Each structure stands twice: as structure tokens, then as C-alpha cells.
Amino acid sequence: MNRKLTPVALLAVALTATACTITTPEPDQVGIVYDAGTFSSTTFQNCINPGQQDISGPGDAAYTYPAGQRTFEFADKPDAEAKPLTVVSKDNLEMTVSGVATFSLATDCKTLQQFHEQIGLKFKAYDDEGWRKLLGVYIGQPLDRAMDAAAKEYGWKDLFSNPAIKQQWEQSVAKYAAQFIQEQGGAGFFTKFAVTLQQPQPPQGVRDALAAAQQAIEENAAQKNKNEKAKTELESIRALVDVLGAEGYVLYKAIQDGRIQVIVSDGQVNVTPGKKQ
């Protein structure tokens, strides 16, 4: 039995048949659209530049990805992408490192399509959770390997306290990271890679031992200065004794310390007690 559609039902059908997919990436996003209508295969359609609007056919699928400089932070912070990373130095001490890697996602249309189809879809990287997972694999893991590989070229004391060595190590990390990102399959997708690393931190026990050793050095230096001062004073006393004699030096010292006063009046010398110090 045929049933006649009401005007409201006809309007609903018309709206459904003509519904469009509207995509407007933010100024720091880029979009990509696929023809995925009911009666068509899923095929690439076009890319959308940041801030522009795209109106596609019914059922088409649109995805947005970050554009411009992005960061991967590894630090002891709630909003960081990862916790601090660890490295092992040339002399086998494990150290903890915080820092941030900066990079850009290649957004020319051909590369963006390849990225979306090869990586983006697998991780669902067009949403925040998927993007963080993707960064952990394609940025975090290569960076972790790079930091370890570079750290094995230096002793831990140099990494911890030598700014010039730390700078060399940071440059080595960037070089290794580019190599490992390529091996991971991210080459061509992530560009303008750079890394900024904080001072590597040895375990707390090692830092405490270093502080104690430094304190001992400073105390020894202070004692050495005291010894040198005492030696100089002793040599001065010996020189005065040689000139004044022992009794003369005692009198000289008493006068110098203010324990006695010597007053010469009318050709007479009077010795009186001085003010107590």
C-alpha cells in the first residue's frame, strides 16, 4: 500500500538529500575533505587552508589537523605531552631531562593527504587524544632514542655542569632525532624540527654528594686561607722579636692591643694600664 508523504515529511527528505558538510578550520588548523557520500566511494576531494570555509556534499567527511609550529613537551607538568625523559651517560649514570621539541606538520595538500591516509586515520589524529598518541610515537620515541644516543658521547659531570658540552649534546640530539624520525616513518610529514633541553639532572643522591664535596672544597680553601694568614702573622712576630727582643715584643704587643699606655711627659716615661678591650 502506497502512503502519501505529508508536506513536513517531504521537507525533511529534501533537507536530508541536500544537507551539506561545512568545514571551517581555525587559523591554526588545516583541513582535508573526502567524498564519502551514500552513493560514492571514499575518495580524496580537496584541502582547506587555515581560516577558510569549505562546503561539501551530503555525507562527505572532513578532517582538521594542526598547522603552524607545534610543540612536544616532556616535563613534570600536568599539561605536558610526556613525563621527563631519561638518558644514560658515557659513564653509565642515568639522568633525567626535561625540555621541549618544536616542529611543524607539512601542510601542502599532497603531503597532507599522504599523512592523513598513512598515519592520521590510524591514530585518529584529527582529535586531541589521537594527536597526542601520534606525537608519542612519531616524535616522543625518536626523541628518546636520540637523547640516549647523544648522551653516550659524554660523561655525566660534563652534561650536568659544563654549558659548552651541554650545548654540543643538544645539537647532537637534534641531529639524531631527525634521523630517527625518518626511520620511524615520519620524514616529510614533520618539518622545522628543533629541540631545547634543560640541564640533565643526576639522581638526588649524586647531587647531594656533589654538594657535600663542593662544601668540603670551600671549607678546605677557607682553612688554607686561615693557615696562610697565621703563617704570615707568625713571620711578622719573629721579625719583631729579632728587632725588639722577646720582652720588647711583649711590651709592643701590649701597647698595640691597648692593654697598657705609654705617656712621655717632661722627659719621663710613664706606663699606665690601658682600657680593657
Side-chain angles (χ1 to χ4, degrees), residues 217-229:
I217 290 172
E218 292 174 358
E219 289 175 352
N220 287 338
Q223 186 60 51
K224 184 178 180 181
N225 289 336
K226 290 179 181 178
N227 294 343
E228 289 294 331
K229 182 179 179 182

Side-chain angles (χ1 to χ4, degrees), residues 105-203:
L105 177 66
T107 55
D108 65 276
C109 197
K110 181 178 179 181
T111 305
L112 182 64
Q113 179 187 352
Q114 293 173 343
F115 168 80
H116 173 73
E117 295 174 0
Q118 294 178 25
I119 299 178
L121 281 173
K122 179 172 65 175
F123 286 89
K124 296 182 179 179
Y126 38 82
D127 64 40
D128 289 342
E129 183 179 356
W131 178 253
R132 289 174 72 95
K133 288 180 179 178
L134 180 144
L135 292 187
V137 174
Y138 285 90
I139 300 293
Q141 291 182 14
L143 183 59
D144 195 6
R145 287 179 59 200
M147 288 171 58
D148 257 333
K152 293 185 184 302
E153 300 172 7
Y154 306 99
W156 73 267
K157 286 186 178 180
D158 282 336
L159 289 172
F160 178 63
S161 59
N162 188 325
I165 293 297
K166 188 256 184 183
Q167 185 178 20
Q168 292 177 19
W169 172 62
E170 193 172 74
Q171 292 170 352
S172 294
V173 169
K175 180 186 71 175
Y176 279 119
Q179 174 187 335
F180 295 150
I181 288 173
Q182 181 176 1
E183 293 176 2
Q184 194 81 345
F189 299 139
F190 302 105
T191 64
K192 301 177 183 178
F193 184 87
V195 61
T196 301
L197 303 175
Q198 301 299 319
Q199 181 189 48
Q201 295 296 310

Side-chain angles (χ1 to χ4, degrees), residues 2-21:
N2 294 328
R3 302 178 63 182
K4 187 175 182 180
L5 293 176
T6 66
V8 174
L10 286 170
L11 178 61
V13 171
L15 288 174
T16 302
T18 60
C20 297
T21 299

Side-chain angles (χ1 to χ4, degrees), residues 84-87 94-98 147 198-203 207:
L85 302 178
T86 58
V87 299
E94 185 175 86
M95 308 176 76
T96 303
V97 188
S98 297
M147 288 171 58
Q198 301 299 319
Q199 181 189 48
Q201 295 296 310
R207 294 202 298 267

